[in-house]
Amino acid sequence: MSRRRIGFWYRFAAVLCKPPLVVLIKRDWRGMEHIPADGGFITAVNHNSHVDPFAYAHYQYNTGRVPRFLAKSGLFKKGFVGAAMRGTGQIPVYRESTDALSAFRAAIDAVERGECVAFYPEGTLTRDPDGWPMTAKTGAARVALQTKCPVVPVAQWGCNELLPPYAKKPHLFPRKTHQVLAGPPVDLSRFYDQEMTADLLREATEVIMAAITRLLEEIRGEKAPETPYDPRRERIEQRRKTRAQAGARDGGAVSLTAAETAPAGTEVPGGGTEEENGK
């Protein structure tokens, strides 16, 4: 299947964004040979800075295969930003609504049209204290198994040194280097043509995230933790500690709810999976 042309809006965005990116960060980009020349595919990328979507888009723009990102629906509504998001073909995500799954359908349609959809599988900036990829949502695996398209793992590092996660002020000096390493497509063939259960999606997602983490280990020259940081597990542990402290004060103990102890991606009271509820 042929690939979509870059188009006016993407070229216009490049004209606006590339000059400041070139000024602010140096580039060490590798693995472009793994970006398919034609046909639909997914890139699965780690996320550790509010700057890295722009820097990564620059990397992939230079391959000739522009990415379609999944982004919050509010960005599409008004003004120049909304027009640019729509014009560049980004995919709106409607969280905590009846339209929450429309992004998956739109992503599948884009892949089947021969485009690239870029996923941040973690769903948000990593909360790992050392910047390693954390546990991920299953959206990328869902689209990959539905379409059987290539999934290219990509690791990036450096934008987090320019603007650390959740920081408000950038560290401009010394000038930082944006390192990107794309790897060969992840082999998900053993998951094809099976019932798409929560367990299957989680297992496929873990395979994707393991590939990203190995690439980041190569970039950083060090080993990642054996177990990825799990923000949901951390929240449960914090609630457990808080309730234990409250129970000690009150002379009793309070149990966690089923929703708090259910594995990520499973159904919880109130309806839907964690991903479908936008958590």
Side-chain angles (χ1 to χ4, degrees):
M1 184 178 291
S2 63
R3 60 185 183 179
R4 178 174 169 175
R5 294 174 57 190
I6 291 177
F8 165 79
W9 273 104
Y10 234 120
R11 294 188 187 280
F12 183 59
V15 168
L16 293 179
C17 296
K18 286 174 67 173
L21 289 171
V22 170
V23 170
L24 289 173
I25 52 180
K26 296 179 286 186
R27 296 175 301 286
D28 179 7
W29 292 348
R30 293 176 285 158
M32 286 185 177
E33 67 275 11
H34 296 301
I35 301 296
D38 292 287
F41 66 102
I42 287 171
T43 56
V45 193
N46 67 308
H47 190 19
N48 53 31
S49 173
H50 285 302
V51 176
D52 67 43
F54 301 97
Y56 175 70
H58 185 189
Y59 167 88
Q60 199 172 316
Y61 181 92
N62 280 21
T63 71
R65 300 302 310 274
V66 295
R68 313 294 173 185
F69 289 96
L70 280 72
K72 295 178 182 178
S73 59
L75 296 173
F76 293 75
K77 293 180 178 179
K78 294 181 181 179
F80 175 80
V81 172
M85 295 295 287
R86 296 189 300 271
T88 54
Q90 310 312 313
I91 299 172
V93 176
Y94 301 90
R95 294 182 177 178
E96 299 183 5
S97 77
T98 56
D99 292 327
L101 294 180
S102 63
F104 295 124
R105 292 191 289 269
I108 289 169
D109 290 344
V111 170
E112 290 179 342
R113 290 195 304 270
E115 299 183 33
C116 168
V117 178
F119 274 90
Y120 283 127
E122 298 157 280
T124 187
L125 291 169
T126 183
R127 291 185 173 89
D128 181 271
D130 295 318
W132 293 103
M134 59 182 184
T135 55
K137 300 184 184 299
T138 59
R142 186 186 300 271
V143 174
L145 298 185
Q146 181 75 28
T147 62
K148 298 183 180 178
C149 70
V151 179
V152 178
V154 182
Q156 58 180 339
W157 188 257
C159 287
N160 54 301
E161 297 173 342
L162 172 64
L163 183 67
Y166 308 104
K168 295 182 178 179
K169 293 183 179 180
H171 302 156
L172 300 178
F173 303 102
R175 190 169 171 231
K176 309 304 186 291
T177 299
H178 181 224
Q179 300 180 74
V180 182
L181 178 59
V186 180
D187 182 8
L188 299 178
S189 59
R190 67 181 181 275
F191 302 110
Y192 292 166
D193 302 319
Q194 298 187 46
E195 183 183 357
M196 209 174 293
T197 63
D199 287 341
L200 182 80
L201 290 170
R202 280 198 299 273
E203 187 177 351
T205 298
E206 289 170 1
V207 171
I208 294 170
M209 294 307 297
I212 297 171
T213 302
R214 286 193 296 270
L215 294 170
L216 189 57
E217 288 178 333
E218 184 174 342
I219 288 176
R220 295 177 60 173
E222 53 186 308
K223 290 290 293 181
E226 288 294 327
T227 303
Y229 180 89
D230 186 343
R232 190 164 183 270
R233 185 169 57 235
E234 292 296 321
R235 289 196 299 269
I236 291 172
E237 183 61 28
Q238 185 58 47
R239 289 171 187 163
R240 181 178 290 113
K241 290 179 180 178
T242 301
R243 293 187 179 196
Q245 292 169 355
R249 289 195 302 269
D250 298 338
V254 182
S255 299
L256 292 173
T257 66
E260 290 172 329
T261 57
T266 58
E267 292 189 0
V268 296
T273 65
E274 184 182 12
E275 286 81 5
E276 291 168 354
N277 287 327
K279 295 180 181 179

